[in-house]
Protein backbone atom coordinates (compact mmCIF):
# COMPACT_ATOMS: atom_id res chain seq x y z
CA UNK A 1 0.00 0.00 0.00
CA UNK A 2 1.39 3.39 -1.01
CA UNK A 3 2.39 5.72 1.81
CA UNK A 4 -0.12 8.50 1.08
CA UNK A 5 -3.02 6.02 1.02
CA UNK A 6 -1.76 4.34 4.19
CA UNK A 7 -1.56 7.68 6.05
CA UNK A 8 -4.97 8.79 4.75
CA UNK A 9 -6.65 5.64 6.04
CA UNK A 10 -5.01 6.14 9.43
CA UNK A 11 -6.45 9.66 9.49
CA UNK A 12 -9.86 8.15 8.70
CA UNK A 13 -9.43 5.75 11.62
CA UNK A 14 -8.54 8.64 13.92
CA UNK A 15 -11.62 10.60 12.80
CA UNK A 16 -13.80 7.58 13.47
CA UNK A 17 -12.27 7.10 16.91
CA UNK A 18 -12.71 10.78 17.73
CA UNK A 19 -16.39 10.62 16.81
CA UNK A 20 -16.91 7.68 19.18
CA UNK A 21 -15.04 9.42 21.99
CA UNK A 22 -16.31 12.99 21.66
CA UNK A 23 -19.92 12.80 20.45
CA UNK A 24 -22.29 12.26 23.37
CA UNK A 25 -25.86 12.42 22.11
CA UNK A 26 -28.70 12.50 24.63
CA UNK A 27 -30.69 10.10 22.43
CA UNK A 28 -31.18 6.41 22.00
CA UNK A 29 -28.77 4.86 19.52
CA UNK A 30 -31.23 4.68 16.60
CA UNK A 31 -32.15 8.36 16.89
CA UNK A 32 -28.48 9.31 17.17
CA UNK A 33 -27.74 7.42 13.95
CA UNK A 34 -30.79 9.01 12.32
CA UNK A 35 -29.55 12.50 13.19
CA UNK A 36 -26.05 11.86 11.90
CA UNK A 37 -27.37 10.24 8.70
CA UNK A 38 -29.66 13.21 8.00
CA UNK A 39 -26.83 15.72 8.42
CA UNK A 40 -24.58 13.59 6.23
CA UNK A 41 -27.35 13.52 3.62
CA UNK A 42 -27.33 17.32 3.49
CA UNK A 43 -23.55 17.24 3.20
CA UNK A 44 -23.92 14.81 0.30
CA UNK A 45 -26.18 17.25 -1.54
CA UNK A 46 -23.52 19.94 -1.14
CA UNK A 47 -20.81 17.57 -2.40
CA UNK A 48 -22.79 16.75 -5.54
CA UNK A 49 -22.93 20.46 -6.32
CA UNK A 50 -19.13 20.55 -6.55
CA UNK A 51 -18.25 17.15 -8.03
CA UNK A 52 -19.50 15.59 -11.27
CA UNK A 53 -22.20 12.98 -10.70
CA UNK A 54 -21.02 9.36 -10.57
CA UNK A 55 -21.28 7.29 -13.73
CA UNK A 56 -24.44 5.27 -14.30
CA UNK A 57 -22.51 2.01 -13.95
CA UNK A 58 -22.16 2.68 -10.23
CA UNK A 59 -25.86 3.33 -9.55
CA UNK A 60 -26.76 -0.29 -8.64
CA UNK A 61 -23.86 -0.28 -6.18
CA UNK A 62 -25.04 2.99 -4.65
CA UNK A 63 -28.59 1.70 -4.21
CA UNK A 64 -27.36 -1.55 -2.66
CA UNK A 65 -24.96 0.31 -0.38
CA UNK A 66 -27.66 2.71 0.82
CA UNK A 67 -29.86 -0.24 1.80
CA UNK A 68 -26.94 -2.05 3.45
CA UNK A 69 -26.02 1.04 5.46
CA UNK A 70 -29.62 1.25 6.71
CA UNK A 71 -29.50 -2.39 7.76
CA UNK A 72 -26.19 -1.71 9.49
CA UNK A 73 -27.71 1.22 11.41
CA UNK A 74 -30.71 -0.84 12.53
CA UNK A 75 -28.60 -3.81 13.64
CA UNK A 76 -26.07 -1.56 15.40
CA UNK A 77 -28.83 0.28 17.27
CA UNK A 78 -30.37 -3.02 18.36
CA UNK A 79 -27.05 -4.50 19.52
CA UNK A 80 -26.28 -1.40 21.61
CA UNK A 81 -29.69 -1.60 23.29
CA UNK A 82 -28.67 -4.66 25.31
CA UNK A 83 -24.91 -4.90 24.78
CA UNK A 84 -21.98 -3.08 26.32
CA UNK A 85 -20.18 -0.61 24.04
CA UNK A 86 -16.75 -2.03 24.93
CA UNK A 87 -17.82 -5.44 23.61
CA UNK A 88 -20.29 -4.75 20.80
CA UNK A 89 -18.15 -2.19 18.97
CA UNK A 90 -14.97 -4.30 18.73
CA UNK A 91 -16.93 -7.44 17.78
CA UNK A 92 -18.73 -5.60 14.99
CA UNK A 93 -15.66 -3.78 13.73
CA UNK A 94 -13.18 -6.60 14.35
CA UNK A 95 -15.00 -9.32 12.44
CA UNK A 96 -15.72 -7.18 9.37
CA UNK A 97 -12.15 -7.05 7.92
CA UNK A 98 -11.93 -10.83 7.87
CA UNK A 99 -15.33 -11.14 6.16
CA UNK A 100 -14.32 -8.43 3.69
CA UNK A 101 -11.07 -10.24 2.94
CA UNK A 102 -12.95 -13.49 2.23
CA UNK A 103 -15.55 -11.68 0.13
CA UNK A 104 -13.03 -9.70 -1.93
CA UNK A 105 -11.09 -12.88 -2.65
CA UNK A 106 -14.03 -15.20 -3.25
CA UNK A 107 -16.47 -12.92 -5.09
CA UNK A 108 -14.21 -10.58 -7.02
CA UNK A 109 -10.95 -12.48 -7.21
CA UNK A 110 -9.06 -9.62 -5.56
CA UNK A 111 -5.64 -10.84 -4.52
CA UNK A 112 -3.70 -9.84 -1.43
CA UNK A 113 -0.02 -10.62 -0.91
CA UNK A 114 1.06 -13.05 1.76
CA UNK A 115 2.33 -10.16 3.86
CA UNK A 116 -0.96 -8.34 3.36
CA UNK A 117 -2.95 -11.40 4.49
CA UNK A 118 -0.70 -11.67 7.55
CA UNK A 119 -1.36 -8.00 8.32
CA UNK A 120 -5.12 -8.52 8.14
CA UNK A 121 -4.96 -11.54 10.47
CA UNK A 122 -2.75 -9.65 12.93
CA UNK A 123 -5.17 -6.71 12.94
CA UNK A 124 -8.22 -8.91 13.51
CA UNK A 125 -6.47 -10.83 16.31
CA UNK A 126 -5.36 -7.60 17.94
CA UNK A 127 -8.84 -6.11 17.78
CA UNK A 128 -10.38 -9.13 19.47
CA UNK A 129 -7.74 -9.14 22.21
CA UNK A 130 -8.34 -5.42 22.77
CA UNK A 131 -12.06 -6.13 23.10
CA UNK A 132 -11.52 -8.78 25.78
CA UNK A 133 -13.42 -7.60 28.88
CA UNK A 134 -11.47 -7.05 32.04
CA UNK A 135 -14.32 -8.08 34.32
CA UNK A 136 -15.89 -11.51 34.44
CA UNK A 137 -19.25 -9.92 35.28
CA UNK A 138 -19.61 -8.49 31.77
CA UNK A 139 -21.77 -10.86 29.75
CA UNK A 140 -23.00 -10.87 26.17
CA UNK A 141 -26.30 -12.67 25.57
CA UNK A 142 -26.88 -14.68 22.42
CA UNK A 143 -29.34 -12.26 20.81
CA UNK A 144 -27.01 -9.30 21.31
CA UNK A 145 -24.13 -11.31 19.85
CA UNK A 146 -26.34 -12.15 16.85
CA UNK A 147 -27.00 -8.49 16.14
CA UNK A 148 -23.34 -7.54 16.73
CA UNK A 149 -22.16 -10.18 14.25
CA UNK A 150 -24.99 -9.15 11.90
CA UNK A 151 -23.66 -5.59 12.10
CA UNK A 152 -20.26 -6.92 11.12
CA UNK A 153 -21.77 -8.72 8.11
CA UNK A 154 -23.41 -5.47 6.98
CA UNK A 155 -20.08 -3.63 7.35
CA UNK A 156 -18.30 -6.22 5.22
CA UNK A 157 -21.08 -6.18 2.61
CA UNK A 158 -21.24 -2.41 2.16
CA UNK A 159 -17.44 -2.19 2.19
CA UNK A 160 -17.22 -4.59 -0.74
CA UNK A 161 -20.05 -2.86 -2.60
CA UNK A 162 -18.54 0.59 -2.08
CA UNK A 163 -15.03 -0.53 -2.93
CA UNK A 164 -16.04 -1.80 -6.36
CA UNK A 165 -18.76 0.80 -6.92
CA UNK A 166 -16.37 3.68 -6.33
CA UNK A 167 -14.02 2.31 -8.99
CA UNK A 168 -16.86 2.37 -11.53
CA UNK A 169 -18.14 5.80 -10.55
CA UNK A 170 -15.40 7.88 -12.15
CA UNK A 171 -15.17 9.99 -8.99
CA UNK A 172 -14.83 8.61 -5.47
CA UNK A 173 -15.96 11.96 -4.04
CA UNK A 174 -19.12 12.02 -6.16
CA UNK A 175 -19.83 8.41 -5.16
CA UNK A 176 -19.44 9.34 -1.49
CA UNK A 177 -21.76 12.33 -1.86
CA UNK A 178 -24.50 10.29 -3.55
CA UNK A 179 -24.11 7.55 -0.94
CA UNK A 180 -24.55 10.04 1.91
CA UNK A 181 -27.75 11.31 0.27
CA UNK A 182 -29.18 7.80 -0.14
CA UNK A 183 -28.13 6.77 3.37
CA UNK A 184 -29.93 9.78 4.83
CA UNK A 185 -33.03 9.20 2.69
CA UNK A 186 -33.33 5.52 3.62
CA UNK A 187 -32.82 6.29 7.32
CA UNK A 188 -35.61 8.88 7.15
CA UNK A 189 -37.91 6.25 5.66
CA UNK A 190 -36.88 3.71 8.31
CA UNK A 191 -37.53 6.26 11.07
CA UNK A 192 -40.98 7.14 9.70
CA UNK A 193 -41.93 3.47 9.51
CA UNK A 194 -40.62 2.49 12.96
CA UNK A 195 -40.93 5.67 15.04
CA UNK A 196 -43.25 8.02 13.16
CA UNK A 197 -42.84 11.79 12.67
CA UNK A 198 -42.15 12.31 16.39
CA UNK A 199 -38.65 10.92 15.84
CA UNK A 200 -37.57 14.13 14.10
CA UNK A 201 -38.85 16.34 16.91
CA UNK A 202 -36.80 14.24 19.34
CA UNK A 203 -33.50 14.71 17.46
CA UNK A 204 -33.71 18.48 16.85
CA UNK A 205 -32.41 19.55 20.30
CA UNK A 206 -29.18 17.60 19.66
CA UNK A 207 -28.47 19.02 16.20
CA UNK A 208 -25.11 20.53 17.21
CA UNK A 209 -23.76 17.17 18.33
CA UNK A 210 -25.22 15.65 15.19
CA UNK A 211 -23.30 18.07 13.00
CA UNK A 212 -20.05 17.25 14.81
CA UNK A 213 -20.64 13.53 14.51
CA UNK A 214 -21.63 13.81 10.85
CA UNK A 215 -18.52 15.81 9.95
CA UNK A 216 -16.24 13.26 11.59
CA UNK A 217 -18.14 10.26 10.25
CA UNK A 218 -18.47 11.62 6.71
CA UNK A 219 -14.82 12.65 6.59
CA UNK A 220 -13.72 9.21 7.75
CA UNK A 221 -15.77 7.27 5.23
CA UNK A 222 -15.09 9.70 2.39
CA UNK A 223 -11.38 8.96 2.82
CA UNK A 224 -12.06 5.21 2.97
CA UNK A 225 -14.10 5.24 -0.27
CA UNK A 226 -11.31 7.15 -1.99
CA UNK A 227 -8.69 4.73 -0.66
CA UNK A 228 -10.67 1.66 -1.77
CA UNK A 229 -10.81 3.04 -5.30
CA UNK A 230 -7.00 2.92 -5.41
CA UNK A 231 -5.89 0.10 -3.09
CA UNK A 232 -7.09 -3.45 -2.30
CA UNK A 233 -10.46 -3.28 -0.56
CA UNK A 234 -9.56 -5.91 2.04
CA UNK A 235 -6.37 -4.10 3.05
CA UNK A 236 -8.14 -0.74 3.45
CA UNK A 237 -10.99 -2.36 5.39
CA UNK A 238 -8.53 -3.92 7.83
CA UNK A 239 -6.37 -0.84 8.24
CA UNK A 240 -9.29 1.48 9.02
CA UNK A 241 -10.13 -0.68 12.05
CA UNK A 242 -7.03 0.69 13.76
CA UNK A 243 -9.69 3.11 15.05
CA UNK A 244 -10.09 0.66 17.93
CA UNK A 245 -6.44 1.23 18.87
CA UNK A 246 -7.03 4.99 18.83
CA UNK A 247 -10.14 4.57 21.00
CA UNK A 248 -8.14 2.56 23.53
CA UNK A 249 -5.33 5.12 23.68
CA UNK A 250 -7.75 8.05 23.99
CA UNK A 251 -9.73 6.28 26.71
CA UNK A 252 -6.57 5.59 28.68
CA UNK A 253 -5.32 9.18 28.35
CA UNK A 254 -8.52 11.24 28.61
CA UNK A 255 -10.82 8.94 30.58
CA UNK A 256 -8.13 7.27 32.72
CA UNK A 257 -9.40 3.80 31.83
CA UNK A 258 -7.20 0.87 32.86
CA UNK A 259 -5.19 -0.77 30.10
CA UNK A 260 -4.88 -4.52 30.75
CA UNK A 261 -2.12 -6.81 29.57
CA UNK A 262 -4.43 -8.33 26.97
CA UNK A 263 -5.20 -4.89 25.58
CA UNK A 264 -1.50 -4.04 25.39
CA UNK A 265 -0.88 -7.29 23.51
CA UNK A 266 -3.82 -6.53 21.23
CA UNK A 267 -2.49 -3.03 20.59
CA UNK A 268 0.90 -4.49 19.68
CA UNK A 269 -0.69 -6.88 17.18
CA UNK A 270 -2.70 -4.03 15.65
CA UNK A 271 0.46 -1.99 15.15
CA UNK A 272 2.31 -4.98 13.66
CA UNK A 273 -0.66 -5.64 11.37
CA UNK A 274 -0.67 -2.03 10.20
CA UNK A 275 3.08 -2.20 9.51
CA UNK A 276 2.60 -5.42 7.51
CA UNK A 277 -0.12 -3.80 5.39
CA UNK A 278 2.10 -0.78 4.77
CA UNK A 279 4.95 -3.02 3.57
CA UNK A 280 2.72 -5.32 1.52
Amino acid sequence: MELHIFLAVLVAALLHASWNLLVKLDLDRFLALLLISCVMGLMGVAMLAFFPWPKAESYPYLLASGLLHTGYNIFLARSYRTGDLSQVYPIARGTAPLLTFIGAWGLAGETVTGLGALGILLLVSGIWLTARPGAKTIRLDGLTLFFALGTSAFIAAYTLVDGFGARLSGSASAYAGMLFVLDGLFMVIAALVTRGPRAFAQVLPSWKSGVTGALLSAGAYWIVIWAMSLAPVAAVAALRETSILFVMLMSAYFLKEKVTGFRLLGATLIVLGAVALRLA
Side-chain angles (χ1 to χ4, degrees):
M1 186 182 296
E2 295 183 26
L3 180 59
H4 69 286
I5 298 176
F6 176 82
L7 294 176
V9 176
L10 288 182
V11 170
L14 180 59
L15 290 175
H16 195 275
S18 300
W19 167 67
N20 281 272
L21 181 72
L22 298 177
V23 177
K24 307 290 186 182
L25 299 181
D26 188 21
L27 298 166
D28 69 48
R29 183 59 58 174
F30 178 82
L31 292 179
L33 291 169
L34 169 64
L35 176 58
I36 291 174
S37 295
C38 287
V39 177
M40 288 176 65
L42 295 175
M43 292 171 59
V45 172
M47 290 169 65
L48 291 174
F50 288 95
F51 298 104
W53 279 46
K55 294 179 180 179
E57 293 88 338
S58 66
Y59 287 0
Y61 292 86
L62 282 163
L63 181 61
S65 181
L67 293 172
L68 288 168
H69 272 85
T70 303
Y72 155 78
N73 286 331
I74 292 172
F75 267 62
L76 181 64
R78 173 57 183 81
S79 60
Y80 276 137
R81 190 195 310 168
T82 53
D84 188 83
L85 174 65
S86 65
Q87 284 185 301
V88 170
Y89 180 83
I91 289 173
R93 306 306 307 188
T95 310
L98 187 57
L99 295 176
T100 303
F101 173 60
I102 295 171
W105 173 72
L107 298 177
E110 183 177 277
T111 59
V112 177
T113 65
L115 187 57
L118 175 62
I120 292 171
L121 292 176
L122 286 172
L123 273 168
V124 172
S125 301
I127 289 166
W128 277 81
L129 277 175
T130 302
R132 188 179 186 275
K136 295 182 179 180
T137 56
I138 299 177
R139 299 179 64 185
L140 194 66
D141 65 88
L143 191 59
T144 302
L145 179 61
F146 167 79
F147 280 101
L149 291 174
T151 301
S152 191
F154 276 112
I155 293 172
Y158 74 61
T159 298
L160 288 169
V161 169
D162 290 337
F164 301 124
R167 295 176 184 179
L168 295 173
S169 68
S171 170
S173 296
Y175 184 94
M178 182 66 78
L179 175 59
F180 295 161
V181 172
L182 290 175
D183 188 15
L185 176 61
F186 291 152
M187 276 298 287
V188 166
I189 295 173
L192 288 173
V193 171
T194 60
R195 303 291 183 95
R198 68 181 185 279
F200 301 95
Q202 291 175 298
V203 301
L204 284 177
S206 300
W207 70 269
K208 291 183 180 179
S209 295
V211 169
T212 302
L215 288 171
L216 293 170
S217 180
Y221 203 58
W222 187 355
I223 292 172
V224 167
I225 289 176
W226 166 80
M228 289 191 300
S229 70
L230 301 172
V233 173
V236 175
L239 185 59
R240 70 172 173 173
E241 304 310 346
T242 53
S243 60
I244 294 176
L245 174 60
F246 290 124
V247 166
M248 187 193 74
L249 294 175
M250 290 176 177
S251 298
Y253 183 79
F254 293 107
L255 304 179
K256 309 303 180 184
E257 291 185 359
K258 183 179 179 181
V259 179
T260 65
F262 279 103
R263 289 191 170 185
L264 284 174
L265 177 59
T268 301
L269 292 179
I270 290 172
V271 171
L272 290 176
V275 172
L277 284 176
R278 169 65 187 97
L279 296 176

